[in-house]
């Protein structure tokens, strides 16, 4: 440790720290633009010049290392004169357009110009003009003349997002920030550049000129889109969500949010919003009141139970429904006498039910400190953007990342070992790694593995896992959705136990863990999400779910819903009108209070940020009234907090002992599998980042991005040659009873018999299961 003095106060900091770090520790503010605690030092704005005793001239606090006994003055006459000179230079070319600038009221330059700027300028020359660039639908660069070249956006791309999409051209006053050869910015974290920009050069395109910062109310919330539990600040004007920003929480999302979290609010205000209960009569939809609609639902469910038995009723939700909603939904279903309730619509193998309650297996902070990670079956960047950023940061510090997947995607980080194999070969690949671990440790292989031979890739991965450092084996969304999920789990668990690695799931939705805690899964005699559609029921209650986009087998789901006698859709959006009988408008996360339990087992409660739109009601209230109309016991809650407290056993979510209910270890013996030469084509499905849930699918700006373009059928070069196809041509993809004509995409990182086709998209909703046989032909 090194002791220095700043403005008469002494402070100890780590050797190698900068004067700025010492000032931050003391709480002393030094003006700055280019410095940011999460980015590397650029030292190019010079606003943080301070007086250092015995130094001949002022030095930049952000780039001056501390030395023992150093005496620094941050607001002496010499320091302030230097800072004022820098401000004068910065304002030479800065346009005087504060009244119409979107950054007005939250602009660092504006704030510091009050303290360090002159009352008039000595320069009469014309200010420079920088032509605007089109870098995509999310970030506006219409006023790049405001740029002060702090390069925060450039460093963010390189260091946090992992891809340098912006850079600086030219020198001196001709310098300008631009994208490469007029490319758009396509990172899934790009919106953070807007927050980082200390002036109004980069602004939010969807929010542009929509409101002034001082007109907005700020409310805390939690993201519903992935399992991290990202903390949000939702900004509201006139009862409408206008903007979403990160709420800094070092233990979860640091100071970042993904573009999905930032811009999905547009979906909350979409034209698709359902604002009143509706009932279908004689094939026509009529608007009605809540009492009539709920009595109609209760009467219909009673009739179906009477005529066909309680087992003919099923309820299906999604993993971004709140803990309270999922708890009441399963209580309603069980109160009727059915056990058919589930929220895992994209899952296909339920063998581990009752044995495993999946979660991350560690805290997010521990995840960021890993030195060895083996990620199995995950489209990591798109499924979990901020977890990918944490792992990227660890990899840059020397952590070894190994991957088993069916697609050699660019993770924008150093990957030490890759095992690329078709989904049907994942178990064989893990079997080889089991053998490689056993051989490396000189222990007996499990029964049935005697004739398995470890490949070179398997040995390399096993060797990496055996280091005596913090290690984790992580199962991605594609493993949870895989038809052999239980077998893959058992093999990965064996590897984790025998390498002393942490073992966990990168869970899918905001409340996957909460769904298990709320017991929104079928009992022993109940039908899971797959069976509920495989063996069609007479009545379905769909909670936040769009089965034709959210299911493992949309073909089967659609057929089951169309034959049902009664389908109740509870959703913020009007959908399913061709098969539904009742539409009930329930509040999205922004209009209700509730709790999400993140992948790390952290319970976080939030309140509604705006009033429910029209006749929309919070889902828990709708289910409570429905329970009362069905004359079920235990539906007398007066608040969502009362439901939460009953489930968690505490009135403080942070104190809830969730981890005692979670368990990734099934303690079953792994089964071996061997690679068999493939004769048929098989599908690899992925959920596009901007198709993951109902809100995101309706966010207009996100749907204009490159990640939201119409899905292609991606095939390898060898398969393209075999089929006589070229990139950009049309291909007819067939699966089950359906087909889709898609554009051909050629991707070298795919095995030769794998066809990568997106799920959860209207263009592919006519296809069958997310994994399994698929056929293609030239369209």
């Amino acid at each position: 440790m090194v002791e220095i003095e700043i403005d008469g106060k002494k402070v100890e900091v780590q050797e190698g720290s900068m004067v700025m770090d010492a000032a931050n520790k003391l709480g002393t503010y030094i003006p700055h633009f280019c410095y940011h605690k999460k980015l590397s030092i650029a030292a190019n704005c010079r606003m943080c010049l301070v007086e250092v005793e015995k130094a001949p001239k002022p030095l930049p606090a952000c780039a001056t290392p501390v030395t023992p006994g150093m005496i620094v003055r941050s607001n002496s006459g010499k320091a302030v004169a230097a800072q004022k000179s820098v401000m004068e230079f910065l304002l030479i070319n800065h346009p005087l357009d504060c009244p119409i600038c979107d950054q007005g009221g939250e602009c660092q330059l504006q704030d510091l110009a009050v303290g360090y700027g002159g009352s008039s300028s000595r320069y009469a020359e014309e200010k420079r003009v920088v032509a605007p660039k089109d870098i995509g639908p999310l970030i506006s660069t219409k006023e790049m003349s405001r740029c002060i070249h702090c390069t925060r956006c450039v460093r963010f791309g390189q260091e946090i997002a992992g891809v340098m999409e912006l850079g600086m051209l030219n020198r001196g006053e001709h310098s300008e920030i631009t994208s490469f050869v007029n490319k758009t910015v396509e990172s899934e974290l790009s919106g953070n550049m807007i927050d980082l920009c200390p002036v109004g050069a980069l602004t939010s395109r969807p929010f542009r000129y929509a409101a002034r910062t001082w007109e907005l109310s700020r409310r805390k919330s939690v993201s519903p889109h992935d399992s991290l539990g990202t903390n949000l600040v939702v900004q509201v004007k006139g009862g409408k969500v206008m903007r979403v920003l990160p709420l800094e929480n070092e233990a979860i999302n640091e100071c970042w949010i993904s573009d999905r979290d930032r811009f999905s609010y547009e979906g909350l205000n979409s034209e698709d919003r359902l604002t009143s209960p509706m009932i279908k009569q004689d094939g026509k939809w009529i608007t009605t009141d809540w009492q009539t609609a709920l009595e109609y639902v209760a009467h219909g469910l009673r009739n179906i139970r009477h005529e066909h038995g309680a087992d003919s009723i099923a309820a299906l939700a999604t993993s971004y429904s709140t803990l309270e909603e999922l708890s009441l939904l399963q209580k309603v279903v069980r109160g009727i006498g059915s056990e058919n309730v589930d929220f895992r619509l994209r899952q296909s193998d339920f063998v581990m039910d009752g044995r495993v309650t999946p979660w991350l297996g560690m805290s997010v902070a521990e995840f960021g400190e890993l030195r060895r990670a083996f990620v199995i079956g995950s489209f990591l960047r798109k499924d979990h953007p901020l977890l990918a950023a944490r792992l990227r940061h660890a990899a840059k510090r020397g952590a070894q990342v190994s991957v088993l997947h069916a697609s050699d995607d660019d993770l924008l980080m150093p990957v030490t070992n890759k095992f690329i194999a078709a989904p049907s070969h994942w178990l064989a690949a893990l079997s080889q790694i089991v053998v490689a671990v056993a051989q490396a440790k000189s222990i007996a292989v499990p029964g049935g593995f005697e004739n398995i031979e470890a490949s070179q890739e398997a040995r390399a991965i096993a060797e990496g896992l055996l280091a005596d450092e913090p290690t984790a084996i992580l199962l991605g969304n594609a493993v949870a959705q895989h038809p052999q999920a239980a077998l893959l789990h058992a093999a990965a668990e064996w590897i984790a136990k025998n390498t002393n690695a942490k073992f966990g799931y990168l869970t899918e939705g905001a409340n996957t863990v909460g769904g298990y805690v709320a017991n929104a899964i079928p009992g022993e005699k109940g039908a899971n999400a797959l069976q509920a559609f495989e063996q069609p029921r007479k009545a379905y209650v769909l909670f936040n779910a769009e089965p034709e986009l959210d299911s493992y087998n949309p073909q089967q789901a659609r057929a089951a819903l169309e034959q049902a006698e009664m389908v109740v859709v509870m959703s913020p959006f009007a959908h399913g009108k061709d098969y539904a009988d009742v539409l009930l408008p329930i509040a999205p996360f922004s209009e209700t209070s509730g709790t999400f339990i993140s992948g790390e087992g952290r319970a976080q409660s939030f309140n509604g940020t705006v009033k429910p739109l029209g006749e929309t009601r919070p889902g828990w209230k709708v289910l409570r009234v429905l329970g009362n109309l069905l004359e079920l016991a235990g539906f007398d809650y007066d608040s969502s907090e009362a439901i939460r407290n009953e489930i968690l056993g505490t009135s403080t979510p942070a104190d809830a002992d969730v981890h005692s209910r979670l368990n990734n270890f099934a303690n079953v013996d792994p089964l071996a599998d061997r690679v068999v030469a493939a004769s048929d084509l098989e599908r690899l499905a992925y959920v596009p980042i901007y198709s993951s849930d109902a809100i995101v699918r309706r966010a207009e700006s996100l749907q204009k991005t490159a990640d939201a373009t119409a899905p292609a059928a991606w095939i390898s070069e060898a398969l393209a040659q075999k089929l006589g196809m070229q990139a950009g041509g049309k291909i007819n993809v067939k699966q089950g009873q359906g087909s889709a004509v898609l554009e051909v995409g050629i991707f070298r990182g795919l095995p030769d018999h794998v066809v990568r086709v997106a799920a959860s998209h209207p263009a592919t909703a006519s296809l069958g299961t997310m994994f399994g046989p698929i056929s293609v032909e030239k369209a």
Side-chain angles (χ1 to χ4, degrees):
M1 299 293 280
V2 176
E3 185 179 79
I4 72 166
E5 183 185 300
I6 300 179
D7 297 337
K9 297 176 187 171
K10 292 196 172 172
V11 64
E12 276 194 353
V13 288
Q14 287 281 348
E15 195 173 344
S17 300
M18 301 296 155
V19 171
M20 186 71 89
D21 301 322
N24 288 342
K25 192 172 180 181
L26 269 179
T28 299
Y29 179 72
I30 296 175
H32 60 271
F33 293 113
C34 69
Y35 169 81
H36 190 276
K37 63 185 178 183
K38 294 287 181 184
L39 302 177
S40 63
I41 293 162
N44 52 9
C45 78
R46 316 310 275 185
M47 191 65 210
C48 64
L49 290 175
V50 291
E51 183 184 353
V52 177
E53 198 169 88
K54 295 181 184 171
K57 57 184 181 179
L59 299 174
C62 69
T64 303
V66 294
T67 56
M70 178 186 266
I71 296 174
V72 178
R73 299 181 186 93
S74 70
N75 57 7
S76 65
K78 191 174 180 180
V80 171
Q83 291 158 0
K84 285 187 172 182
S85 297
V86 170
M87 178 58 74
E88 185 176 24
F89 278 117
L90 287 175
L91 293 177
I92 289 172
N93 275 315
H94 194 81
L96 298 174
D97 61 352
C98 296
I100 61 112
C101 178
D102 242 17
Q103 194 94 337
E106 51 188 7
C107 171
Q108 260 181 279
L109 184 66
Q110 205 175 41
D111 293 344
L112 292 179
V114 172
Y116 299 92
S119 55
S120 60
S121 175
R122 292 189 282 169
Y123 293 88
E125 291 79 11
E126 282 190 14
K127 292 180 183 281
R128 74 179 197 137
V129 175
V130 179
K133 288 92 182 161
D134 181 4
I135 61 169
L138 305 179
I139 302 175
S140 170
T141 60
K142 288 278 187 188
E143 286 89 16
M144 282 306 282
S145 298
R146 296 173 185 156
C147 178
I148 61 168
H149 308 133
C150 69
T151 67
R152 280 184 179 184
C153 55
V154 177
R155 284 175 286 144
F156 172 82
Q158 282 178 298
E159 296 162 22
I160 308 296
V163 54
M164 185 176 172
E165 293 180 293
L166 294 179
M168 188 142 70
L169 283 180
N170 306 323
R171 299 189 69 179
E173 72 162 3
H174 302 294
S175 301
E176 57 179 280
I177 301 288
T178 184
S179 61
F180 290 100
V181 203
N182 296 324
K183 274 192 168 185
T184 56
V185 170
E186 294 174 3
S187 164
E188 56 279 359
L189 302 174
S190 66
N192 292 292
M193 295 178 187
I194 299 166
D195 298 339
L196 286 171
C197 185
V199 295
L202 300 178
T203 53
S204 167
R205 206 158 175 169
F207 176 70
R208 192 172 156 77
Y209 298 146
R212 285 301 200 176
T213 179
W214 53 85
E215 300 174 312
L216 301 169
S217 318
R218 288 158 179 77
R219 282 126 200 206
K220 295 177 183 177
S221 193
V222 179
S223 165
H225 303 303
D226 64 27
S227 61
L228 184 64
T230 301
N231 288 198
L232 309 176
V233 174
V234 178
Q235 300 191 336
V236 174
K237 178 186 175 185
K240 185 178 174 182
V241 175
M242 302 299 288
R243 185 165 65 163
V244 174
L245 297 175
L247 176 63
E248 188 169 342
N249 188 332
E250 199 60 32
I252 302 174
N253 55 297
E254 301 173 274
C255 54
W256 316 120
I257 54 173
S258 67
D259 290 354
R260 178 166 57 181
D261 298 332
R262 182 183 299 273
F263 297 107
S264 64
Y265 72 86
E266 286 186 298
L268 301 170
N269 308 320
S270 80
E271 292 176 4
D272 255 8
R273 280 298 297 270
L274 180 64
T275 54
S276 299
M278 300 181 84
I279 295 175
K280 191 192 279 182
Q281 289 192 343
D282 301 323
K284 293 181 181 175
W285 284 99
I286 60 165
T287 302
T288 186
D289 59 89
W290 272 104
Q291 187 70 22
T292 306
L294 286 172
E295 283 177 355
Y296 180 89
V297 172
H299 180 70
L301 292 176
R302 273 201 207 94
N303 275 0
I304 286 167
R305 180 177 62 179
H306 177 70
E307 291 173 21
H308 304 286
D311 191 49
S312 61
I313 300 169
L316 298 162
T318 56
S319 55
Y320 56 92
S321 307
T322 67
L323 181 71
E324 295 80 358
E325 290 166 345
L326 291 172
S327 177
L328 289 195
L329 181 67
Q330 63 89 18
K331 277 183 84 169
V332 167
V333 173
R334 289 188 160 96
I336 294 169
S338 171
E339 286 282 334
N340 308 329
V341 60
D342 210 345
F343 67 93
R344 303 160 298 175
L345 298 189
R346 294 194 182 110
Q347 199 163 315
S348 60
D349 180 2
F350 298 86
V351 172
M352 287 295 182
D353 275 12
R355 289 178 174 273
V356 167
T357 311
W359 69 295
L360 186 59
M362 69 200 88
S363 70
V364 171
E366 286 175 302
F367 178 88
E369 295 299 321
L370 290 173
R371 301 298 299 159
R372 299 279 193 277
F374 179 28
V375 182
I376 305 169
S378 176
F379 297 93
L380 189 61
R381 272 179 57 201
K382 305 302 179 183
D383 290 345
H384 307 282
L386 289 173
L387 283 177
R390 284 222 183 220
L391 196 57
R392 181 179 304 118
H393 192 55
K396 283 170 62 181
R397 295 196 315 268
Q400 287 191 11
V401 178
S402 300
V403 170
L404 167 60
H405 201 23
S407 180
D408 189 6
D409 294 354
D410 185 1
L411 297 181
L412 303 178
M413 69 178 85
V415 177
T416 311
N417 302 300
K418 290 179 185 176
F419 200 144
I420 305 302
S424 60
H425 292 168
W426 287 358
L427 184 57
L430 286 178
S431 299
Q432 291 179 23
I433 297 168
V434 166
V435 169
V437 168
Q439 288 173 350
K441 290 191 74 179
S442 302
I443 58 173
V445 295
F449 284 76
E450 294 83 4
N451 297 321
I452 302 289
E453 195 171 320
S455 63
Q456 196 174 337
E457 295 101 320
R459 291 183 195 283
I461 290 171
E463 192 180 323
L465 294 173
L466 286 165
D468 189 20
E469 292 185 299
T471 304
I473 292 173
L474 301 155
L475 304 181
N477 293 357
V479 172
Q481 296 154 0
H482 198 283
Q484 291 181 306
L487 295 174
L488 295 172
H489 175 108
E493 183 184 320
W494 188 96
I495 297 167
K497 282 179 176 174
N498 286 278
T499 56
N500 296 319
K502 290 182 182 292
F503 178 52
Y505 277 81
L506 300 164
T507 51
E508 186 174 8
N511 204 31
T512 295
V513 174
Y516 284 95
V517 172
N519 196 29
I521 53 176
E524 277 185 36
K525 296 179 182 176
N528 55 51
L530 192 67
Q531 293 165 338
F533 291 133
E534 264 180 354
Q535 300 142 25
R537 312 284 149 168
K538 295 296 179 184
Y540 289 95
V541 178
L542 303 178
F543 196 93
N544 275 327
E546 298 179 90
E548 62 271 40
L549 298 174
D550 293 332
S551 296
Y552 177 73
N553 188 340
Q555 249 176 46
Q556 222 167 47
R558 184 83 196 201
L561 292 166
E562 284 173 348
Q563 63 77 48
E565 289 181 18
M566 184 181 198
V567 177
V568 180
V569 171
M570 297 188 186
S571 172
F573 306 102
H575 66 86
K577 285 189 172 183
D578 46 348
Y579 56 72
D581 299 283
V582 190
L583 298 178
L584 302 178
I586 60 167
F589 81 104
S590 57
E591 297 169 20
T592 183
S593 56
T595 304
F596 290 143
I597 301 181
S598 69
E600 65 171 335
R602 184 190 295 260
Q604 297 186 103
S605 291
F606 54 91
N607 292 314
T609 55
V610 290
K611 287 182 179 175
L613 188 66
E615 290 297 305
T616 299
R617 294 290 180 268
W620 70 267
K621 286 187 177 179
V622 175
L623 292 167
R624 181 194 63 188
V625 175
L626 183 59
N628 290 330
L629 289 173
L630 289 165
E631 298 175 352
L632 306 177
F635 282 83
D636 51 356
Y637 305 103
D638 57 2
S639 68
S640 65
E641 287 79 11
I643 308 168
R644 176 199 70 199
N645 297 349
E646 182 180 286
I647 302 164
L648 297 180
T650 174
S651 58
T652 314
D655 296 337
D657 182 19
V658 175
H659 292 117
S660 63
R661 310 185 198 187
L662 310 178
N663 169 42
N664 286 325
F665 292 94
N667 297 316
V668 295
D669 293 330
L671 289 177
D673 193 17
R674 298 176 75 101
V675 174
V676 179
S679 53
D680 298 324
L681 297 180
E682 60 179 283
R683 180 181 181 183
L684 168 67
Y686 66 101
V687 178
I689 184 171
Y690 302 136
S691 297
S692 58
D693 59 67
I695 298 171
V696 172
R697 288 193 279 263
R698 290 166 174 84
E700 190 181 340
S701 296
L702 291 178
Q703 295 309 316
K704 293 176 183 172
T705 61
D707 273 317
T709 49
W714 293 93
I715 55 178
S716 68
E717 269 185 315
L719 183 57
Q721 285 174 3
K722 185 178 170 186
L723 298 170
M725 293 178 180
Q726 290 184 328
K730 294 294 180 183
I731 190 171
N732 191 18
V733 180
K734 293 181 180 176
Q735 202 185 15
Q737 307 302 310
S739 64
V741 176
L742 304 174
E743 196 174 283
V744 177
I746 295 177
F747 182 49
R748 289 178 181 156
L750 283 173
D752 289 346
H753 61 288
V754 169
V755 183
R756 177 172 164 168
V757 180
S760 193
H761 194 284
T764 58
S766 57
L767 299 176
T769 57
M770 292 176 72
F771 296 89
I774 194 168
S775 63
V776 296
E777 60 186 25
K778 215 168 184 175

